[in-house]
Amino acid sequence: MKLLKRLIDWIDVRIGVREVAEKELTGYLLPRTINVWYSMGSVLLVIFGIQVLSGILLLIYYVPDADNAFKSVTSIMNDVPFGWLIRMCHAVGSNMMVLVLLLHMFSVLFMGSYKSPREFNWLSGFILFTMVQGISLTGYLLPWSQLSFWATTVATNSANAIPVAGPYLVEFLRGSKLVGPPTLGRFFALHVALIPLGMAALIGAHLFFLKRTGVSTPPFGQADSTNQWKGGSYQYEDHPGGIPFFPNYALEDLRSVFIYLALFLAVVFFDPYLFFPKDAFLPANPLVTPAHIKPEWYFLANYQTLKIFPNELIGLSVQAVAMTFLALLPFIDRGRERHPLKRPLFLVCAIGGLLLWLGLSVWGHYS
Ligand code: HEM
């Protein structure tokens, strides 16, 4: 114990750890009315960590080459000690990440935390959302199964609908006219290097914005006198009299993380193939098109939107408008009120949008 104290003292003199811990942990105060929804961001950080770690372990045996990719994944599942566990954690984790991401987005939407001055928190989060979609799409191709091959063929094909640039874009994405070995090469580079590095940088920016503007006070219960707009200027104080991040809220974060881990591991151990259709177990065959090729559950609404319009360009444009609207929401919805029940227009649009998304997803699943 004495030795540990001396070691900490030694380090403290050089880099001032105690001061940083006091300022950022015990002295970092959060609103007293903070609720469980605010722990979703920490759960996402843990999921990102698990994805990076399991991904690095998979890289040891995975071979990014069209002739060997499927074989290498089969060998990870059957021969490599605990390879199945690492792969299942990575595959199930990617689906769970989207689920928690959606919960995080819904909570900031319903509590109005995206509103001024948190536009950058929202925008950096929105870019992270598109990056998570990108990392899932590129990861889907890597096992080089029938599902990988044909799902990527369908997904990249939709860019063909864009006038003039469409065919060039498709060829650029695929690296050739059809999905093939060059597509695997570029998707691999995007999946293991470019997108994760971009995500790490954006998570840093997201947390910086969070520190800069301060955590929002939940719109329920007692209002907070600080961290608010006053006469046109914004006050960046912390929440005096609030609860310390460490140990109080860190323990609440930890509770959410453990509940998440219990659910996640329950899927990994008891229903590991929950997110795997049967075409995921067959090697890619460019000559045999499977009867029903469906994207992952969170892309089903996009997939169905492309199908219901007579031409794909309309389907793509509708989606582009919806995404742009969502990205710019803090600049469109400028009212100060954050309580969901006191924002009837928002409530109708949000619940309507959610039901539409769910309806399209279910329709896409059964179509
Ligand atoms: C990998 C993805 C993400 C990570 C790791 C992450 C992490 C976090 C963390 C740790 C917080 C602080 C605690 C909290 O309120 O939960 C936070 C807050 C926030 N996030 Fe995210 N986030 C991600 C994605 C997103 C997305 C997709 C959006 C929305 C489009 C978003 C919007 C926000 C907003 C507006 C806040 C401020 C909330 C407040 O001050 O009350 N985030 N995020």
Side-chain angles (χ1 to χ4, degrees), residues 37-42 44-45 48 97 101 104-105 108 113-114 118 121-122 125-126 128-129 132 199 203 206-207 210 214-216 338:
W37 292 105
Y38 286 75
S39 61
M40 291 303 132
S42 304
L44 277 170
L45 286 176
F48 184 68
M97 185 165 193
L101 198 77
H104 181 55
M105 271 177 89
V108 295
S113 320
Y114 58 88
R118 297 191 175 76
N121 301 50
W122 174 264
F126 189 83
L128 274 166
F129 172 60
V132 168
M199 281 182 72
I203 290 175
H206 198 60
L207 297 183
L210 180 84
V215 175
S216 67
R338 291 182 37 224

Side-chain angles (χ1 to χ4, degrees), residues 69-138:
F70 190 80
K71 260 187 271 166
S72 71
V73 173
T74 312
S75 154
I76 289 173
M77 291 298 284
N78 300 331
D79 310 324
V80 177
F82 297 104
W84 62 271
L85 181 61
I86 304 297
R87 180 176 181 224
M88 286 304 128
C89 282
H90 199 73
V92 172
S94 72
N95 282 277
M96 298 296 260
M97 185 165 193
V98 178
L99 196 71
V100 180
L101 198 77
L102 291 176
L103 290 179
H104 181 55
M105 271 177 89
F106 291 143
S107 73
V108 295
L109 272 174
F110 280 92
M111 292 195 284
S113 320
Y114 58 88
K115 292 191 169 203
S116 174
R118 297 191 175 76
E119 292 90 341
F120 284 161
N121 301 50
W122 174 264
L123 276 178
S124 55
F126 189 83
I127 302 173
L128 274 166
F129 172 60
T130 56
M131 284 184 147
V132 168
Q133 293 184 322
I135 207 162
S136 309
L137 200 80
T138 48

Side-chain angles (χ1 to χ4, degrees), residues 186-207:
R186 46 192 67 205
F187 274 38
F188 177 70
L190 284 171
H191 186 80
V192 308
L194 194 65
I195 306 181
L197 281 177
M199 281 182 72
L202 258 151
I203 290 175
H206 198 60
L207 297 183

Side-chain angles (χ1 to χ4, degrees), residues 8 12 15-29 211 238 244-247 250:
I8 296 178
D12 197 30
I15 53 174
V17 272
R18 286 207 175 90
E19 193 191 312
V20 174
E22 155 62 22
K23 193 164 160 259
E24 306 298 331
L25 300 173
T26 46
Y28 177 35
L29 299 179
K211 272 302 277 175
D238 278 335
F245 171 69
F246 188 86

Side-chain angles (χ1 to χ4, degrees), residues 77 84 88 91-92 266-276 281:
M77 291 298 284
W84 62 271
M88 286 304 128
V92 172
V267 179
V268 169
F269 288 115
F270 298 113
D271 199 359
Y273 295 137
L274 179 66
F275 303 110
F276 282 72
F281 303 100

Side-chain angles (χ1 to χ4, degrees), residues 124-174:
S124 55
F126 189 83
I127 302 173
L128 274 166
F129 172 60
T130 56
M131 284 184 147
V132 168
Q133 293 184 322
I135 207 162
S136 309
L137 200 80
T138 48
Y140 219 44
L141 182 68
L142 303 189
W144 206 247
S145 64
Q146 270 294 70
L147 180 72
S148 313
F149 185 89
W150 290 101
T152 307
T153 301
V154 175
T156 47
N157 220 15
S158 53
N160 255 328
I162 301 171
V164 190
Y168 298 101
L169 186 63
V170 175
E171 200 169 329
F172 174 72
L173 288 172
R174 291 178 177 169

